[in-house]
Amino acid sequence: MAKQEDDFKKVISHAKEYGYVFQSSEIYDGLSAVYDYAQNGAELKKNIREYWWRAMVQLNENIVGIDAAILMHPTTWKASGHVDAFTDPLIDNKDSKKRYRADVLVEEYAAKIETKIEKEVSKAAKRFGGAFDKKQFLATNQRVVDYQEKAASILKRLGRSLENEDLADVKKLIEELDIACPMSGSKNWTDVKQFNLMFGTKLGAAAESAIDLYLRPETAQGIFVNFLNVQKSGRMKIPFGIAQTGKAFRNEIVARQFIFRMREFEQMEMQFFIRPGTQNEWYEKWKENRMKWHFSLGMGEENYRFHDHDKLAHYADAATDIEFRFPFGFKELEGIHSRTDFDLGSHEKFSGKKLRYFDPELKDSYVPYVVETSIGLDRMFLAVFSNSLKEEELENGSTRTVLKLPAVLAPTKAAVFPLVKKDGLPELAHQIIDDLKWDFNVVYDEKDAVGRRYRRQDANGTPFCITVDHQTLEDQTVTIRHRDTMQQQRVAISGVKAIIAKEVDMKTWLMKMG
Ligand code: GAP
């Protein structure tokens, strides 16, 4: 656990030191769970957004993208169920005065049991070597079987109590498991209460006539209320999808873990409108498609897993998370939800407007069903950033810090260095930049010895460094160094663009989705 915490602290400090993420309003001591993206962070975030948008909108003939407003008519949130049901169960510790999500306290307890199982598995794998059969071990080792049953029964009881709104039983469970406040160790808990996560605001200047609004807690509703507008203006035929990226706001009770859980964050969502009865088929297709998108970035297939929901949100008939191995363990990165006709049906009722589709094949009209894919852009940023940050031991015994970002997402694609600050080398380096800048983000760096400049760019995540030296003046060649392998090649200046393009071309990366 200490190593995990240490690794995570390194991620946070690296993000600040290299201009990726800053605490919001830091000069005023910051605002809890609100962050700003800095010069490199804004580029990485933009590239992730584009990688998602192209995969969704450009590569699918039947998906279009929109950009709906953050502020919406207040009835939207009555219809969507957020006013009544977008709550988390909270509990306070009376001694430390710290507030927690009651369900998260219990889930973390169960996760600790799962960690014990993983430890038993790795001990046994070492003991049995090549003959180890993990499946058989999980089914037959009595201690592990007991652990699995304990974790499952805790989560089942939690799921049942939450579904039945039995908050007294959630508190009883916390007491029975002897869960203590992680900050103080105290077990002096208040009752569990429901807490609505939406931020309220006002529309209008005069206090008496101002209308109460909410900042949207998800982007999805901007898509639902526009369903018919898009379908008619785009002459869309079911099945079709509407995609959108944009800010969402949640007054999270537990807002720790850096940009994993924020109060202001960005979502990338796609609602796929389908014929009722076909939801299972589309749910499976989108699960597969989204996992392929993740795998295409080459961050290790073993770092992803599906986690099906036991407790379904008020709108869903099936739901799964794509979980990623963050520095603090496997956690939700993306949700895939079969939302039935709940949202469109409810907006029909509340607005009094028909939100139906006439299906020319069936010669009938119906309220379409929806399968949604919903990923947090900030969470994806954290997944990419934390997975890429490595400390490497080099052959000469020294270490280097390198940010091995997928090259397609790297904020800066190349840095150009003159070997020395004289003899016309800086001018030549600038000429190379002037040529490359039309295709890529490139930077100039002349400070310090070349070795230190390499290290700086490694830590920054720049895939290529190009060095201009005296030989360049004679034969128009430069050295190009690759971040991950540290290999250097001597190449003609005229060939540099193609070398960079081959590694960073979005099409090539997206084609890995198959
Ligand atoms: N429209 C469905 C929806 O909003 P969700 O599971 O509540 O579903 C989807 O959110 C995704 O949004 C999550 O998988 C996560 O990546 C991201 N997300 C949710 N709350 C977040 C928060 N407070 N901070 C950062 N990302 C968040």
Side-chain angles (χ1 to χ4, degrees):
M1 197 52 100
K3 172 154 184 347
Q4 277 193 355
E5 275 169 25
D6 202 35
D7 287 349
F8 193 37
K9 277 190 190 144
K10 279 188 194 147
V11 167
I12 298 169
S13 65
H14 196 89
K16 181 173 179 192
E17 190 181 344
Y18 285 88
Y20 277 84
V21 183
F22 301 146
Q23 175 78 59
S24 158
S25 357
E26 196 188 75
I27 58 166
Y28 296 106
D29 295 332
L31 186 63
S32 163
V34 186
Y35 290 90
D36 296 337
Y37 286 87
Q39 64 277 20
N40 282 321
E43 291 287 339
L44 174 56
K45 199 174 169 199
K46 174 175 70 65
N47 292 344
I48 297 173
R49 194 188 292 112
E50 192 184 343
Y51 196 70
W52 181 88
W53 188 271
R54 286 227 205 156
M56 275 299 173
V57 179
Q58 190 173 325
L59 294 184
N60 289 291
E61 246 179 85
N62 58 350
I63 298 182
V64 291
I66 66 164
D67 183 10
I70 287 171
L71 298 177
M72 299 182 70
H73 192 285
T75 310
T76 308
W77 307 110
K78 260 315 255 179
S80 67
H82 284 80
V83 171
D84 297 321
F86 195 55
T87 53
D88 274 342
L90 70 84
I91 190 165
D92 291 294
N93 186 277
K94 291 184 196 163
D95 296 324
S96 68
K97 311 277 183 259
K98 290 282 170 205
R99 178 161 280 187
Y100 297 94
R101 263 179 66 177
D103 54 337
V104 172
L105 285 178
V106 175
E107 279 164 10
E108 281 175 354
Y109 184 94
K112 279 189 194 143
I113 302 178
E114 272 156 22
T115 310
K116 286 185 187 164
I117 297 172
E118 277 169 29
K119 275 198 186 136
E120 292 291 336
V121 169
S122 68
K123 267 200 292 185
K126 269 194 203 134
R127 207 167 52 238
F128 295 114
F132 181 61
D133 181 342
K134 185 174 170 187
K135 217 166 158 191
Q136 193 190 1
F137 180 78
L138 288 173
T140 55
N141 180 286
Q142 196 51 48
R143 188 180 303 170
V144 168
V145 170
D146 290 347
Y147 281 150
Q148 290 179 97
E149 281 173 0
K150 186 169 179 198
S153 92
I154 289 169
L155 292 176
K156 195 164 167 208
R157 177 161 157 203
L158 175 69
R160 207 177 40 228
S161 308
L162 291 174
E163 206 149 304
N164 298 337
E165 290 281 321
D166 186 354
L167 299 182
D169 192 56
V170 178
K171 180 177 182 190
K172 216 162 136 215
L173 184 57
I174 288 174
E175 286 171 339
E176 282 172 24
L177 296 174
D178 219 20
I179 295 176
C181 164
M183 301 295 279
S184 64
S186 155
K187 293 170 191 165
N188 193 7
W189 295 110
T190 61
D191 288 342
V192 178
K193 282 180 275 184
Q194 289 292 16
F195 173 78
N196 194 297
L197 300 182
M198 283 196 293
F199 278 106
T201 187
K202 301 248 180 222
L203 176 84
E208 55 293 352
S209 61
I211 303 171
D212 286 317
L213 294 184
Y214 294 105
L215 300 184
R216 66 182 178 195
E218 61 170 12
T219 57
Q221 297 305 324
I223 291 179
F224 288 124
V225 299
N226 278 301
F227 156 73
L228 214 53
N229 284 339
V230 173
Q231 190 271 319
K232 287 201 181 319
S233 60
R235 300 187 314 280
M236 308 298 291
K237 287 199 176 63
I238 272 179
F240 74 91
I242 306 178
Q244 156 162 247
T245 71
K247 287 275 175 126
F249 302 82
R250 294 182 190 178
N251 198 0
E252 297 282 359
I253 302 167
V254 185
R256 283 191 289 265
Q257 294 172 315
F258 193 38
I259 55 171
F260 180 81
R261 197 176 300 285
M262 301 157 88
R263 296 204 162 99
E264 173 180 342
F265 58 100
E266 192 165 335
Q267 289 186 314
M268 306 190 286
E269 298 201 296
M270 193 279 300
Q271 313 331 113
F272 201 68
F273 298 92
I274 53 177
R275 249 184 217 167
T278 61
Q279 66 267 35
N280 289 348
E281 178 197 330
W282 284 109
Y283 176 67
E284 291 305 326
K285 274 195 186 147
W286 279 108
K287 273 174 73 173
E288 192 189 335
N289 181 292
R290 292 304 302 146
M291 202 52 125
K292 281 188 181 162
W293 182 83
H294 285 287
F295 287 174
S296 72
L297 286 168
M299 299 204 297
E301 297 189 6
E302 69 287 359
N303 290 324
Y304 299 85
R305 68 182 186 196
F306 284 113
H307 174 252
D308 296 334
H309 289 204
D310 295 325
K311 180 184 180 262
L312 293 172
H314 58 274
Y315 49 73
D317 73 354
T320 195
D321 294 336
I322 294 179
E323 292 189 337
F324 183 75
R325 198 196 300 266
F326 287 96
F328 36 82
F330 271 103
K331 293 273 179 216
E332 174 185 347
L333 170 60
E334 169 157 7
I336 297 160
H337 312 124
S338 171
R339 288 181 81 128
T340 67
D341 58 356
F342 173 84
D343 300 88
L344 289 181
S346 190
H347 284 304
E348 261 203 355
K349 255 184 254 148
F350 277 81
S351 67
K353 311 262 163 43
K354 288 245 174 293
L355 294 176
R356 281 156 195 261
Y357 171 77
F358 180 77
D359 192 322
E361 276 175 34
L362 298 182
K363 299 197 177 22
D364 199 5
S365 63
Y366 51 77
V367 177
Y369 270 42
V370 170
V371 170
E372 141 185 282
T373 74
S374 172
I375 177 167
L377 175 49
D378 314 84
R379 246 178 232 191
M380 185 62 196
F381 184 111
L382 182 59
V384 171
F385 192 85
S386 58
N387 187 265
S388 303
L389 187 60
K390 315 272 181 210
E391 289 281 330
E392 279 185 355
E393 282 239 358
L394 302 181
E395 275 172 12
N396 64 7
S398 66
T399 55
R400 72 160 180 158
T401 302
V402 52
L403 192 61
K404 290 187 167 177
L405 297 170
V408 62
L409 302 180
T412 305
K413 304 303 187 202
V416 185
F417 310 154
L419 185 65
V420 289
K421 286 189 250 177
K422 56 182 184 181
D423 304 334
L425 301 188
E427 291 75 10
L428 198 46
H430 280 299
Q431 271 177 30
I432 294 175
I433 289 180
D434 279 346
D435 182 36
L436 293 178
K437 74 182 182 191
W438 298 95
D439 295 288
F440 319 109
N441 271 349
V442 274
V443 294
Y444 175 81
D445 190 1
E446 61 174 22
K447 194 168 176 286
D448 303 317
V450 168
R452 290 191 62 177
R453 285 183 250 171
Y454 282 155
R455 291 300 153 80
R456 203 156 45 231
Q457 295 303 330
D458 285 348
N460 222 35
T462 310
F464 295 101
C465 291
I466 295 150
T467 306
V468 175
D469 55 22
H470 292 96
Q471 191 183 329
T472 314
L473 296 171
E474 288 162 22
D475 65 4
Q476 297 290 298
T477 64
V478 288
T479 53
I480 182 160
R481 174 191 180 266
H482 297 247
R483 177 195 65 197
D484 296 349
T485 59
M486 295 190 289
Q487 302 259 307
Q488 297 183 24
Q489 280 170 276
R490 189 98 209 163
V491 299
I493 293 175
S494 57
V496 167
K497 198 182 288 176
I499 293 173
I500 301 174
K502 188 165 171 264
E503 297 271 325
V504 306
D505 176 38
M506 207 168 264
K507 174 180 166 190
T508 313
W509 285 78
L510 284 169
M511 282 176 80
K512 294 181 197 164
M513 284 179 74

